[in-house]
Amino acid sequence: MNIKSYLKDKKKEVDEYLDNLLPKTNKFPAQLHEAMRYTIFAGGKRVRPILCIASFQIFDSNYKKVLPFASALEIIHTYSLIHDDLPAMDNDSLRRGKPTNHKVYGEAKAILAADALLTFAFQTMAESSNFEDRLIKKAIFNIAKSSGYSGIVGGQFVDIDMEGKDIDLPTLEYIHTHKTGELIKTSVYSGALLAGAKDEDLDNLLKYAKWLGLTFQIVDDILDEIGDKEELGKNPGKDNHYNKFTYPSIYGIKKSKKIAEEYTQKSKNYLAKINADTSILNEISNFLLERTY
Ligand code: GRG
């Protein structure tokens, strides 16, 4: 299996699914639908839906069944990016290689478009009838938990609260594991859960995803320092600008890269405990460690 073509194919499928799913721009209020679609289709690697699909595929080859959930995860992620870019948060002008949502539609409409995306994600999952109700309920519960106060909102809150303040390592890890890690964790978990994985495998996948999520954020912080604006599709140097503590600001680039490698290995050790073909997740871990965008 070639991981690059796997990622490309799955991104295409997710994009097609999202295009059919999202409200159309020929329906009233057209501009709301346009603003919802704008940041979704501005670009993006589709990491979270692809993790969900790859995790599902370990236990069930009919992965198309999980596309509503995979797409919902991308929709939640995109809502958080729109809010993160707002003047009251990171105040950014570039995302996914395009002007940020509020730069195009104005602040009030960007907030509403993101709110509409978040709620639409849950509508989409609740509407799905591809799995037993108890599995759907459990998946939605976990995705909600990872999105709210005990997930990305909690992580973002502490991140904002700590701006310019001295921060200890446990607080930095709280920010990373919540702001970034929780959605990654729930993407891997919900894919396997919906495919009918047993508890022991789910437990190993959760541990895999925990280390993967941390690695993802460390690499994100490294790219914020040394990445290329064109390739990233966003403005680098934001962490320095906001005096944020990050792995590179504490350990430097070289040691941070080493830590990311160690964490990737730790994550893969949990995959090795699963008695099924986990090679796609294994390859995705390598890709996410080595990514330059
Ligand atoms: C506003 C509730 C709320 C949350 C914001 C997602 C987020 C939390 C902030 C965005 C800024 C940031 C550095 C978040 C960490 C998560 C992260 C690395 C986002 C970028 O994810 P990618 O690289 O982006 O998967 P694409 O565009 O490829 O989808």
Side-chain angles (χ1 to χ4, degrees):
M1 193 243 340
N2 177 321
I3 189 65
K4 289 254 161 72
S5 55
Y6 177 89
L7 294 173
K8 194 167 154 226
D9 291 351
K10 292 294 170 287
K11 175 173 155 59
K12 188 163 171 274
E13 274 190 74
V14 170
D15 283 354
E16 281 166 9
Y17 196 87
L18 283 165
D19 191 24
N20 282 324
L21 186 68
L22 284 158
K24 304 286 177 285
T25 53
N26 60 1
K27 292 260 160 61
F28 187 79
Q31 199 192 30
L32 171 61
H33 306 162
E34 191 191 300
M36 289 166 75
R37 286 170 166 267
Y38 174 75
T39 308
I40 293 265
F41 294 114
K45 297 180 284 297
R46 308 305 190 221
V47 167
R48 294 144 193 88
I50 294 174
L51 282 172
C52 176
I53 292 168
S55 182
F56 185 91
Q57 283 181 302
I58 299 173
F59 308 99
D60 185 341
S61 59
N62 188 7
Y63 69 86
K64 287 189 197 296
K65 278 164 58 183
V66 85
L67 284 173
F69 281 82
S71 303
L73 288 158
E74 182 63 26
I75 293 171
I76 296 169
H77 169 58
T78 306
Y79 124 81
S80 80
L81 298 180
I82 296 174
H83 275 195
D84 185 63
D85 290 333
L86 289 168
M89 300 228 188
D90 253 6
N91 192 19
D92 223 323
S93 55
L94 189 69
R95 171 70 70 180
R96 294 180 160 172
K98 299 245 170 74
T100 44
N101 202 290
H102 66 273
K103 288 283 173 197
V104 179
Y105 297 99
E107 249 183 273
K109 286 177 178 171
I111 292 170
L112 291 172
D115 291 344
L117 284 173
L118 177 62
T119 41
F120 183 62
F122 286 91
Q123 178 183 329
T124 300
M125 292 185 282
E127 242 176 1
S128 156
S129 53
N130 293 342
F131 307 100
E132 283 173 46
D133 280 354
R134 84 181 163 88
L135 288 179
I136 291 177
K137 186 177 161 198
K138 200 165 174 188
I140 294 177
F141 172 79
N142 275 286
I143 292 168
K145 241 177 110 183
S146 296
S147 306
Y149 75 92
S150 50
I152 56 178
V153 174
Q156 179 78 347
F157 191 97
V158 177
D159 192 19
I160 285 173
D161 190 41
M162 293 312 293
E163 256 168 40
K165 295 183 193 161
D166 270 345
I167 186 173
D168 54 20
L169 207 54
T171 312
L172 181 63
E173 285 204 355
Y174 177 92
I175 294 171
H176 283 182
T177 51
H178 288 74
K179 187 176 88 169
T180 312
E182 275 298 322
L183 203 57
I184 288 182
K185 233 165 81 180
T186 205
S187 300
V188 171
Y189 177 81
S190 52
L193 173 84
L194 292 166
K198 56 181 194 288
D199 287 349
E200 193 190 332
D201 291 336
L202 287 172
D203 195 45
N204 281 318
L205 282 169
L206 275 176
K207 288 174 181 148
Y208 157 78
K210 180 194 155 192
W211 294 106
L212 179 76
L214 260 173
T215 306
F216 191 85
Q217 184 59 54
I218 296 171
V219 173
D220 199 74
D221 290 347
I222 294 173
L223 291 176
D224 186 72
E225 286 212 9
I226 61 167
D228 173 69
K229 179 173 169 177
E230 291 299 311
E231 219 182 337
L232 289 175
K234 61 183 178 183
N235 294 311
K238 299 290 292 187
D239 294 337
N240 250 333
H241 178 79
Y242 283 106
N243 280 329
K244 282 194 182 168
F245 275 91
T246 60
Y247 273 74
S249 80
I250 295 175
Y251 297 111
I253 296 289
K254 208 167 151 206
K255 179 134 190 245
S256 300
K257 279 188 177 165
K258 228 133 188 77
I259 296 174
E261 280 165 24
E262 261 170 45
Y263 286 2
T264 300
Q265 192 48 53
K266 274 193 182 184
S267 75
K268 290 195 209 167
N269 291 345
Y270 287 105
L271 283 185
K273 293 177 191 250
I274 297 168
N275 191 16
D277 182 4
T278 55
S279 56
I280 303 174
L281 284 185
N282 206 71
E283 290 291 327
I284 293 178
S285 297
N286 294 338
F287 167 79
L288 292 180
L289 175 67
E290 284 151 22
R291 73 194 168 100
T292 52
Y293 61 98

